[in-house]
Every structure is written in structure tokens, then in C-alpha cells.
Amino acid sequence: MRSRPSHAEGAERGGRARAPMLLPLAWGSLFFPGLFGVCTWGLRRARPAWTHHDCVMISTRLVSSVQAVLATGSGIIVIRSCSDVITDRHWLAREYVWFLIPYMIYDTYAMYLCEWYRAGDQSSRHSLTIFRNFLSKNRLMITHHVFILLVLVPIAQKLRGELGDFFVGCIFTAELSTPFVSLGRILIQLNQQHTLLYKVNGILTLTTFFLCRILLFPFMYWSYGRQQGLSALPHSFPLQCGQCLPHRATDLLVLSAVQKGSPAL
């Protein structure tokens, strides 16, 4: 009779299960705040005339763009690796979500820091007022981050089980337009709205937004329907002695004629 695992064995298994989660969490906790600090330091040295608010705001946009590039790249890799949109797996579909959690927390703090320096530049720094302005101006982004942390992360990491890595990759690619949105806001902050770069970036922003936000869900639905249609088709035609031929129209016609006793084609 099979014995139950001891308490020590159960704890060891739980520790091994948590270990892969802790590594991307740790890397994300170091990478995004570290990149933000390096960008802010570099901008302060390269542009001494800029205010603290300018440097912090632009650094926040740069870090957001880097995260968007990483997410989009991860999504493309996952999508290309999953021939079966339901059951195929890729490790990035799970590990990048753990890497993303520290970014969401960091980005919320970075938005508050931007508001703090903006109020400081205007000589109106008061903690309660700053916090109220932060909630008022960033209501949508805060809701977005909280929804991802409290709803999408549990779904992606636990509730969906071992299925749907392809669709997680599709969600990652929704970040494709973020670098162009960030560049547009940086150009506005630097009063470059009338430049050719700003106009070209606007076209790219609209194009990528249409591709990764408007067409994303129809593409996911089409991929799922296509997979269901392929699953409904027989993948092989049975022969004697356990042999199989590929599912091709010419093979089926010949085999059907042979089995029915028709003359050879």
C-alpha cells in the first residue's frame, strides 16, 4: 500500500514549486527600478538644464518602452512556438508574468514620483494634495495595473491550468503600441509637436494600436476556431497491419476505391 508523503517531503515539494516563481520576481524587482535609476541619473548628467520632473517623467516612459518591447518579443516567441493554440506550452507564457508583477508595482510608484516632482517644481508640495492629484490624473492606469495584478495574474498563473499559452502570448503582444505612445508623450513634453518625427510616430501609434488592440481579439477567436476545425478532421487513414498514410485527398480516394473493390485508378 502506498504511503502518504511526510510533512517534510510536502514542504520540500512546495519549495521546489515556488523556486521558479521567485527567480523572475527577483529579476523584475531589480531590473525595472534599476533601469529607472540609471536612466534618471544619465539624463541628469546629460541634460543639467532639465528639471527633476522632466528627467523622472522621461525615464518612466523609457522603462515602459523597454517593458513593452520585452513583452511583445515574449508574446511573438510564444505564439510562434504554439502550433496547437490550446495545449501547446512555452515557458515564457508563465515566467514572464512573474517578471511583469514587479513592473506593475514599480510603475505605480514611478507615476506617484512624477507627480511628487511636478508638485515640487511648482513649490506646492503637500503630501495629501499630491496623493489626491496622483489618484485623479492616473485613475485609468492605476485601475489597469490593479486589474492585471488581481484578475489577470491569477487567471494566467493558476486558474487556466496547463492550457492556453498561445492566448497569453497574444495578450503580451498588446504592448506593441506602448513604445510609440511613450515617444509621443516625450516629444510633447519637449515641445516637439510640430516635428516630422512626431507626425510619423503618430501614424505608427495608430497603426500598432489598431493591430495589437483592435485586431487582437478577432485574431484570437479565429485561431481558436481554426484549431477546433482542424481537431474535428481525421489526421490519418487506417490501413491493414497498423499502417497509416497522411491525410491527403488523393490517398483517401485511392484507399476508398481499393476497400470498395473498385478497379484500380
Side-chain angles (χ1 to χ4, degrees):
M1 187 173 180
R2 192 175 182 179
S3 60
R4 294 183 178 179
S6 64
H7 179 73
E9 291 175 349
E12 183 180 355
R13 291 179 183 176
R16 287 198 300 266
R18 288 191 296 269
M21 172 189 74
L22 296 178
L23 187 59
L25 281 173
W27 275 112
S29 300
L30 293 174
F31 178 76
F32 293 114
L35 181 60
F36 173 77
V38 169
C39 291
T40 304
W41 175 81
L43 289 174
R44 289 295 296 168
R45 289 181 62 88
R47 294 289 187 270
W50 286 3
T51 64
H52 286 285
H53 176 257
D54 291 333
C55 295
V56 170
M57 181 67 73
I58 292 176
S59 297
T60 303
R61 303 300 181 196
L62 291 176
V63 176
S64 296
S65 299
V66 170
Q67 190 282 134
V69 171
L70 293 175
T72 303
S74 300
I76 292 173
I77 292 173
V78 173
I79 291 172
R80 291 178 59 86
S81 300
C82 296
S83 56
D84 189 310
V85 303
I86 305 299
T87 59
D88 280 0
R89 306 297 310 281
H90 194 281
W91 63 271
L92 274 173
R94 193 170 297 275
E95 297 303 315
Y96 191 80
V97 175
W98 295 126
F99 186 69
L100 183 65
I101 291 174
Y103 169 77
M104 293 296 169
I105 299 172
Y106 142 79
D107 194 50
T108 303
Y109 175 73
M111 289 187 292
Y112 177 78
L113 202 60
C114 291
E115 184 62 28
W116 172 271
Y117 279 112
R118 187 196 65 79
D121 291 340
Q122 297 177 358
S123 301
S124 60
R125 183 174 293 178
H126 188 274
S127 299
L128 184 58
T129 303
I130 293 173
F131 187 71
R132 287 176 177 174
N133 292 336
F134 162 70
L135 294 178
S136 176
K137 294 180 179 180
N138 301 281
R139 186 182 298 109
L140 289 178
M141 285 302 298
I142 294 172
T143 303
H144 170 265
H145 288 7
V146 171
F147 179 78
I148 289 178
L149 291 174
L150 299 184
V151 178
L152 293 186
V153 168
I155 292 175
Q157 302 301 84
K158 188 68 176 178
L159 299 180
R160 69 184 178 91
E162 305 295 323
L163 304 176
D165 281 12
F166 173 86
F167 299 107
V168 175
C170 291
I171 297 298
F172 287 166
T173 61
E175 293 288 336
L176 178 63
S177 63
T178 300
F180 303 102
V181 174
S182 297
L183 178 58
R185 292 179 177 177
I186 291 174
L187 293 174
I188 291 174
Q189 186 174 344
L190 299 178
N191 297 319
Q192 301 294 315
Q193 298 95 317
H194 304 292
T195 62
L196 178 62
L197 176 61
Y198 181 80
K199 296 176 182 178
V200 172
N201 183 73
I203 296 174
L204 293 175
T205 301
L206 293 176
T207 302
T208 53
F209 183 87
F210 178 77
L211 290 175
C212 68
R213 304 294 174 96
I214 306 300
L215 294 183
L216 177 62
F217 291 102
F219 171 73
M220 294 168 63
Y221 181 78
W222 174 82
S223 300
Y224 177 75
R226 179 174 177 271
Q227 182 66 53
Q228 294 297 102
L230 292 175
S231 300
L233 294 174
H235 295 285
S236 60
F237 197 93
L239 293 174
Q240 294 179 354
C241 302
Q243 296 179 344
C244 290
L245 282 176
H247 178 63
R248 296 195 297 264
T250 54
D251 296 334
L252 295 179
L253 289 174
V254 172
L255 292 173
S256 178
V258 171
Q259 289 185 353
K260 291 179 180 179
S262 302
L265 297 177

